[in-house]
Amino acid sequence: MSEIGPVSSVQWSALFERVNDYNLSLQGRIRQMLVSAILGGHLPPGAAVPSSRELGRALGVARNTVVFAYQQLVVEGYLESRERSGHFIAQDLPTNQPPPPEQPAGAPSRSQTDWDRRLVFHPSRQRNIIKPANWQSMRYPFIYAQFDAKQFPTAEWRECCMRALSVLDIRVWAPDLITHDDQTLVDAIRNQVLPRRGIWAEADEIVVTVGAQHALYLVANLLIHSHTVVGIEDPGYPDARNIFAHRTERLVPLPVDDDGLCLSPMLQHCDYLFVTPSHQCPTNATLSMERRVALLELARRTDSILIEDDYETENSYDGHHSPALKSLDKHGRVLYIGSLSKSFAPGLRLGYIVAPRELVVELRALRRLMLRHPPAYLQRAFALFISLGHYHALLRRLSLVYAERAQALQAAMREFLPQFHGKPIHGGSSWWVQGPDDVDTERLAQAALQAGIVIEPGHVFHHHAHSSDRSHIRLGFSCIDKDTIPEGIRALADVLKAMK
């Protein structure tokens, strides 16, 4: 091997820079660089690696840092140390895989398999909310329910994660819980989260899910068959519509107005009704108390079940929270679904269902077939996050932040896009607005992307793909700064002007 070997000093430096996880120590970054180079085939088994002095000089780090990294990789089986010769890539790597079997003569290649014929369902063909993969690099991301690094409580969350790594805690969450959940999280939900919504539930009436969408999937698979009639709000939550459509074709779109779901005669023919009463998706309307009482009475009289998705209710700017539909339920007619992580960090994927205990038993058994249970370590860390007061402190802070952003957004729309209008924003992190009838918001969204603006056209929220309503958009503001909002709306107005 030459001074630096088959990988030059410049290449080592480039490989090192590609390890951009700066939360790692220098030693950790060197280990990650070498493992990536080994697994990527850049360093074959038996190849020599540079001496610690040479690699340290190439990377601009102390020799001892490289020495410690090499020692750890020897322990882990990636390197071999040979006396007086240095370090070499292990011949028997821990990740070595046997070569693929040879394809018999005349055997069909994988590309010849007709998977389209074999599929019983094509979820990729459903209409979904689409966000560009690179939305975080966009200058004006007016999208809903996305992560805002500036609002993330890093120190508090890290504290909870570290506490969950104590010896006693590890012994609780490390075993397979099979059908159970972390008891501390269940207790935190029933004692600190649900009472704020006026709901009182026993531990055996709660099941933790991988987000609210997973909760909907569990409920649909357990309760809905091909003959079931499901009423859904129109416009409404696209993923709920798609989940139910996978189980039954008998979906009934139900109109929504400024007071939420309309009480139409169609409700009487539904076996299940999916509703977002406290914060309607996507219009933000709140179901009036009169309609809530009437809806519960209708469910009792017609033997139907209400599936309540109670999302973003904590983010009410004036502190006034409408009671959950479940809190008014006296006859066990409401299945309640909540999200813990939507406002906090959507990537954590934690939600829950409140249901009668006999149904929870079946939900847990079905969940076991899918994924056993959500990661127990994550459940324990989040339980600590709630019990230490961090969760509700975060929600209070976000309410203030969102209120300021909502005010900035409404002012900017009045100034730069006065032809668009919507109901005043009183809570949440998005605004449902309508433009002129001659504006196709899908075309507007595509043109806006070219200017670094991400908006959500409203057509996907409507039940029918051929709906003539293409003038609505949903503007989210969970991940865009207050000071950036006006210039983003001004840029959107410029895009619209250029389209005409």
Side-chain angles (χ1 to χ4, degrees):
M1 189 173 186
S2 60
E3 181 187 352
I4 276 292
V7 180
S8 71
S9 59
V10 173
Q11 289 173 312
W12 279 117
S13 180
L15 287 172
F16 190 57
E17 287 301 318
R18 290 175 64 182
V19 182
N20 55 13
D21 186 352
Y22 295 102
N23 290 321
L24 292 174
S25 63
L26 284 175
Q27 182 194 141
R29 291 178 63 196
I30 292 171
R31 290 193 346 242
Q32 188 176 111
M33 172 193 70
L34 287 166
V35 170
S36 296
I38 292 169
L39 299 182
H42 300 293
L43 297 174
V49 296
S51 69
S52 56
R53 189 185 308 279
E54 291 167 342
L55 186 58
R57 184 167 58 248
L59 302 182
V61 301
R63 177 191 176 191
N64 281 345
T65 302
V66 180
V67 170
F68 292 139
Y70 280 1
Q71 290 174 347
Q72 184 64 34
L73 290 173
V74 169
V75 171
E76 293 173 352
Y78 289 99
L79 296 183
E80 296 174 354
S81 177
R82 301 177 189 174
E83 189 173 357
R84 298 180 181 274
S85 298
H87 289 86
F88 297 80
I89 307 302
Q91 292 286 353
D92 186 18
L93 290 173
T95 55
N96 274 355
Q97 298 292 331
E102 291 187 10
Q103 194 83 321
S109 66
R110 293 181 180 178
S111 61
Q112 293 177 332
T113 301
D114 186 0
W115 289 111
D116 191 70
R117 177 179 59 83
R118 293 174 178 270
L119 286 171
V120 296
F121 175 49
H122 293 84
S124 65
R125 297 180 184 176
Q126 293 182 311
R127 292 186 300 127
N128 290 295
I129 301 171
I130 299 175
K131 298 178 175 66
N134 63 337
W135 69 264
Q136 291 189 10
S137 65
M138 296 289 189
R139 188 171 183 181
Y140 309 113
F142 290 102
I143 54 178
Y144 170 73
Q146 287 301 332
F147 175 68
D148 185 347
K150 294 180 180 178
Q151 301 302 323
F152 187 79
T154 303
E156 293 87 345
W157 179 245
R158 183 176 292 153
E159 173 196 8
C160 295
C161 289
M162 292 301 295
R163 288 197 179 196
L165 289 174
S166 71
V167 173
L168 293 178
D169 282 297
I170 290 174
R171 291 175 180 174
V172 174
W173 61 253
D176 184 355
L177 302 183
I178 307 178
T179 61
H180 293 86
D181 290 308
D182 184 277
Q183 190 59 47
T184 58
L185 179 58
V186 172
D187 289 342
I189 292 171
R190 62 186 293 258
N191 295 324
Q192 297 191 49
V193 176
L194 292 176
R196 292 171 178 260
R197 304 295 298 127
I199 300 172
W200 303 95
E202 299 300 324
D204 58 1
E205 296 175 320
I206 299 170
V207 57
V208 180
T209 62
V210 185
Q213 191 166 319
H214 177 226
L216 284 172
Y217 198 89
L218 285 171
V219 168
N221 275 265
L222 200 61
L223 298 176
I224 296 173
H225 54 73
S226 59
H227 301 296
T228 305
V229 180
V230 180
I232 57 173
E233 298 165 325
D234 186 25
Y237 180 33
D239 285 324
R241 179 187 69 223
N242 290 338
I243 288 170
F244 297 136
H246 176 45
R247 302 296 302 170
T248 180
E249 294 182 356
R250 303 183 67 183
L251 298 184
V252 179
L254 303 170
V256 174
D257 64 15
D258 293 344
D259 289 321
L261 179 68
C262 298
L263 299 182
S264 66
M266 293 183 291
L267 296 173
Q268 302 181 37
H269 305 292
C270 297
D271 301 304
Y272 295 90
L273 288 168
F274 174 73
V275 291
T276 52
S278 297
H279 199 84
Q280 203 276 330
C281 174
T283 68
N284 297 342
T286 298
L287 189 66
S288 67
M289 182 59 67
E290 180 183 2
R291 291 188 185 181
R292 289 173 191 245
V293 173
L295 195 57
L296 288 166
E297 173 56 25
L298 176 70
R300 184 196 65 79
R301 192 175 69 252
T302 61
D303 191 29
S304 58
I305 297 296
L306 308 177
I307 303 171
E308 177 182 16
D309 186 351
D310 195 34
Y311 80 104
E312 271 204 332
T313 55
E314 309 92 345
N315 295 327
S316 175
Y317 306 158
D318 58 6
H320 175 72
H321 304 283
S322 57
L325 200 59
K326 179 68 174 174
S327 70
L328 306 172
D329 180 22
K330 298 179 181 178
H331 302 285
R333 291 288 165 184
V334 179
L335 302 181
Y336 182 87
I337 292 174
S339 172
L340 293 172
S341 56
K342 184 180 290 292
S343 297
F344 172 50
L348 286 177
R349 310 306 308 153
L350 276 178
Y352 59 93
I353 305 171
V354 179
R357 54 180 55 87
E358 59 268 30
L359 182 57
V360 166
V361 169
E362 302 302 332
L363 286 167
R364 290 186 179 279
L366 177 60
R367 189 187 65 177
R368 175 183 178 175
L369 298 178
M370 300 174 70
L371 47 80
R372 296 282 201 172
H373 53 78
Y377 168 70
L378 186 59
Q379 291 192 48
R380 175 55 59 100
F382 209 99
L384 290 166
F385 191 74
I386 295 174
S387 64
L388 293 174
H390 300 319
Y391 179 62
H392 288 103
L394 171 66
L395 294 178
R396 287 192 296 271
R397 187 173 75 250
L398 286 178
S399 290
L400 297 175
V401 170
Y402 291 164
E404 292 179 346
R405 293 178 182 179
Q407 186 176 9
L409 177 60
Q410 292 172 104
M413 290 292 286
R414 286 193 298 267
E415 180 177 357
F416 300 113
L417 285 171
Q419 63 271 51
F420 282 76
H421 58 88
K423 296 296 179 183
I425 312 173
H426 298 294
S429 59
S430 67
W431 195 21
W432 181 251
V433 297
Q434 182 175 14
D437 293 337
D438 61 344
V439 174
D440 185 337
T441 55
E442 291 196 68
R443 285 186 56 233
L444 176 61
Q446 290 299 320
L449 279 178
Q450 305 306 313
I453 310 165
V454 189
I455 61 174
E456 295 179 346
H459 184 257
V460 70
F461 295 95
H462 289 279
H463 179 73
H464 296 293
H466 57 269
S467 170
S468 59
D469 185 354
R470 295 179 179 272
S471 61
H472 281 90
I473 56 175
R474 183 171 71 169
L475 295 170
F477 45 88
S478 63
C479 55
I480 184 169
D481 289 339
K482 176 188 68 173
D483 296 335
T484 308
I485 288 174
E487 60 185 74
I489 297 301
R490 182 173 59 232
L492 182 61
D494 292 339
V495 170
L496 180 61
K497 187 181 300 182
M499 286 176 55
K500 294 183 177 180

